[in-house]
């Protein structure tokens, strides 16, 4: 018969109670090793700040000019923020940048996040053509292409892409050229 010596054993949860101000443990990312919950927080008030002097028509004109130069919606937002002091386009105009571009017929044919994933996959394939033994890149390419297929499925469902649109790695370089 074994006798227990010392205090009773406790589980890890009993040893370290969860502090109410600490965030709960989050799940990891599907295609990365991060577990972070860092994010920016938009102001509660939807009205533009008092120091913004631009009119909604001026902001819309700037957005259209920048789109005609070939900037993506996120680059347009950064330019407006840094050069023109526009904190949130939606607060001033009542519409997001992409909606304004769609209204003026300047929206990109491919959604921006999908475009950059395809661009990344094309450059990875180009790298793999030269470096056939790079097994890690091959694995990462599989992950990137999985993300492309998943995102394309979402965009087909919400009708941002035609129902017949399909990612084909052989013709992908033509999409991002």
């Amino acid at each position: 018969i074994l006798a227990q010596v010392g205090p009773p054993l406790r589980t890890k949860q009993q040893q370290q109670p969860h502090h109410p101000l600490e965030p709960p443990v989050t799940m990891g990312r599907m295609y990365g090793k991060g577990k972070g919950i860092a994010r920016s927080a938009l102001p509660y008030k939807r009205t533009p700040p008092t120091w913004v002097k631009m009119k909604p028509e001026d902001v819309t004109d700037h957005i259209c000019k920048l789109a005609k130069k070939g900037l993506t919606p996120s680059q347009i937002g950064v330019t407006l923020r840094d050069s023109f002091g526009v904190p949130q386009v939606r607060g001033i105009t009542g519409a997001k940048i992409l909606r304004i571009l769609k209204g003026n017929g300047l929206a990109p044919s491919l959604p921006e996040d999908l475009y950059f994933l395809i661009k990344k996959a094309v450059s990875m394939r180009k790298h793999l053509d030269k470096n056939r033994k790079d097994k890690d890149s091959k694995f990462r390419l599989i992950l990137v292409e999985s993300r492309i297929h998943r995102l394309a499925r979402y965009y087909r469902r919400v009708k941002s892409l035609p129902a017949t649109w399909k990612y084909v790695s052989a013709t992908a370089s033509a999409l991002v050229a």
Side-chain angles (χ1 to χ4, degrees):
I1 297 174
L2 295 171
Q4 186 176 358
V5 179
L9 296 173
R10 294 182 178 174
T11 62
K12 192 171 187 177
Q13 215 170 17
Q14 289 173 328
Q15 288 173 357
Q16 297 172 348
H18 180 68
H19 194 272
L21 297 178
E22 286 178 8
V25 178
T26 57
M27 285 185 64
R29 303 276 164 263
M30 184 171 271
Y31 298 109
K33 58 181 185 279
K35 292 195 180 94
I37 57 164
R39 61 186 140 236
S40 62
L42 294 177
Y44 180 71
K45 284 185 1 178
R46 295 262 169 95
T47 56
T50 53
W51 47 264
V52 175
K53 301 294 181 219
M54 285 185 84
K55 302 267 184 288
E57 303 81 38
D58 299 338
V59 174
T60 306
D61 291 342
H62 277 300
I63 289 171
C64 292
K65 278 182 200 163
L66 292 169
K68 284 174 185 166
K69 280 187 187 175
L71 270 66
T72 62
S74 60
Q75 288 172 326
I76 291 170
V78 169
T79 306
L80 288 174
R81 183 195 68 199
D82 296 344
S83 303
F84 299 101
V86 176
Q88 285 291 318
V89 170
R90 187 169 158 222
I92 297 169
T93 62
K96 295 181 179 183
I97 294 174
L98 196 60
R99 292 244 170 98
I100 293 169
L101 292 177
K102 280 180 184 171
N104 291 307
L106 296 168
S109 57
L110 272 179
E112 191 178 349
D113 49 357
L114 185 64
Y115 172 83
F116 282 111
L117 276 175
I118 291 172
K119 194 172 174 183
K120 182 186 268 192
V122 166
S123 71
M124 288 172 95
R125 278 204 182 274
K126 191 174 165 189
H127 167 81
L128 275 172
D129 287 342
K130 289 183 213 148
N131 307 286
R132 290 199 179 277
K133 287 200 162 197
D134 191 351
K135 301 292 183 199
D136 187 58
S137 284
K138 186 177 179 184
F139 174 71
R140 300 291 163 198
L141 175 65
I142 291 167
L143 295 185
V144 169
E145 288 187 340
S146 297
R147 264 183 277 178
I148 291 170
H149 292 301
R150 169 175 295 194
L151 207 52
R153 193 167 61 229
Y154 164 75
Y155 282 127
R156 282 194 301 266
R157 194 176 72 231
V158 298
K159 308 278 192 282
S160 293
L161 286 175
T164 56
W165 193 91
K166 195 170 170 89
Y167 171 76
V168 181
S169 58
T171 59
S173 56
L175 292 170
V176 295

